[in-house]
Every structure is written in C-alpha cells, then in structure tokens.
Amino acid sequence: MAKTTAPPSRPPRRRPERGPVDVRQWLGGIRLSGFMVIMLGLVVLAAFVLVPTIGTYVDQRQQIAALEAAVEVSRQEVADLEAQRDRWADPAYITTQARERLYYVRPGEVVYLVDNDLPAELVPQEQDPVSDEVEQTRTDWMSQLVRSVTSAGLAQTVKAPTVGVPDEQPTPTPTDAP
C-alpha cells in the first residue's frame, strides 16, 4: 500500500530575519493602563508586607524545631533518671554499689585490694630519681615577678562590648557648667 500525502493547505511560514532590536520601539509597544499600574503597585506592596512576615515565620519554625529537640533530650534524661531511681529502689543494687564504690564489707568478710593491677603496657615508665640536693634557679624569681606585674599593669585593656546598653553619660557638675 502506497503512502500518499496531501499537499499542505498553506505554504510554510518563514520567519523574518531578525536584525538589531530597537529598544525604544519595543518599549513603545508596551501599553500600561491605570488598572495594570494599580495591580502592579499592589503586588509590590504585598511583597514588602509578606517578606518580613515570611522571614519571621521561618525563624519561628527554626526555634520551634530547636525547642522540640531540647524537649526530646529532656524527656530522654527524665527516662534515664527514672530508670536509675528504680534501680536504687532495689536493695541488691544498693548493696552492690556500696561494695564497689565504698568498699563496704559484711562482718566477717576479708577484702583484698590489688595494687598495680595495670597491664605492662599501661604501667608508667621509671623516672629519674629525685635529687635530695637543693639547686639554685638560674633566674631571680623576684625580678621576674616585678616584671610580670608591671607589664600587666601597663598593658592596655580592651573594653568588653555592651550590645543594646547605652553608655552612661557623665552628669555635668556645677563646676563644669560655664
């Protein structure tokens, strides 16, 4: 079966070649009505009104998320403390803790404490023996102290910034007035 096509009903449109665009002619083609100017003004006004509101909304959502996370952490801490309270209500747990932490024993028991029970790699290395002789220092500590105090006294200190608190203005005294 042969495929036939009908000739197009109109000839294909050719796009005109575009040259440089004349901006004045293009802007002159835009017509602004009074209604369009009013609506454009309302859109700009709405943007000025809504942008700070949206910023406030986003800030508040971030604060809410942070507070919800803090509440969740607090709930977890409360659950941990309640579990610990329940453990301390058990007399066997109290006895175990008294034996381990405070080294309490029952009458008649013998307790052995092992010193130096660290593994060989954790044992501190031997240090040089401490001398029994008194040695004189190479510097005079008194002059060092005087130098340190004077340099601290002569140093310029930086005043801590106070945000939101106005500086106190000196009140004029009767001798300062002209």
Side-chain angles (χ1 to χ4, degrees):
M1 183 179 218
K3 192 175 189 186
T4 60
T5 58
S9 58
R10 36 181 146 136
R13 260 175 84 175
R14 295 180 114 198
R15 292 187 178 206
E17 293 293 324
R18 292 190 178 186
V21 176
D22 186 16
V23 177
R24 285 187 215 159
Q25 183 182 3
W26 182 78
L27 285 176
I30 297 176
R31 301 280 182 228
L32 292 177
S33 65
F35 177 76
M36 191 176 207
V37 170
I38 291 173
M39 292 308 292
L40 185 61
L42 287 176
V43 167
V44 169
L45 180 66
F48 278 123
V49 169
L50 291 179
V51 166
T53 306
I54 291 171
T56 304
Y57 173 75
V58 169
D59 289 342
Q60 288 177 349
R61 292 304 303 170
Q62 289 175 348
Q63 288 176 352
I64 288 172
L67 290 174
E68 286 175 347
V71 165
E72 186 60 34
V73 167
S74 297
R75 283 186 182 147
Q76 184 64 32
E77 287 177 0
V78 167
D80 291 343
L81 290 173
E82 287 175 349
Q84 188 176 5
R85 181 191 64 195
D86 293 340
R87 280 195 310 255
W88 280 102
D90 183 18
Y93 182 76
I94 294 173
T95 304
T96 304
Q97 291 300 313
R99 286 174 170 264
E100 288 178 1
R101 291 183 184 185
L102 304 174
Y103 304 111
Y104 281 10
V105 294
R106 294 183 187 266
E109 288 183 341
V110 177
V111 176
Y112 296 99
L113 294 177
V114 179
D115 285 338
N116 299 329
D117 60 343
L118 294 174
E121 62 270 2
L122 297 178
V123 174
Q125 298 297 323
E126 293 296 323
Q127 297 178 355
D128 293 334
V130 178
S131 172
D132 292 336
E133 299 174 12
V134 177
E135 295 182 14
Q136 187 170 355
T137 59
R138 289 184 167 71
T139 60
D140 184 20
W141 67 270
M142 187 58 136
S143 63
Q144 284 290 107
L145 176 69
V146 170
R147 262 189 252 130
S148 175
V149 169
T150 17
S151 65
L154 295 175
Q156 294 181 356
T157 58
V158 177
K159 182 179 177 184
T162 54
V163 178
V165 179
D167 293 336
E168 293 183 17
Q169 298 295 330
T171 56
T173 58
T175 59
D176 292 341

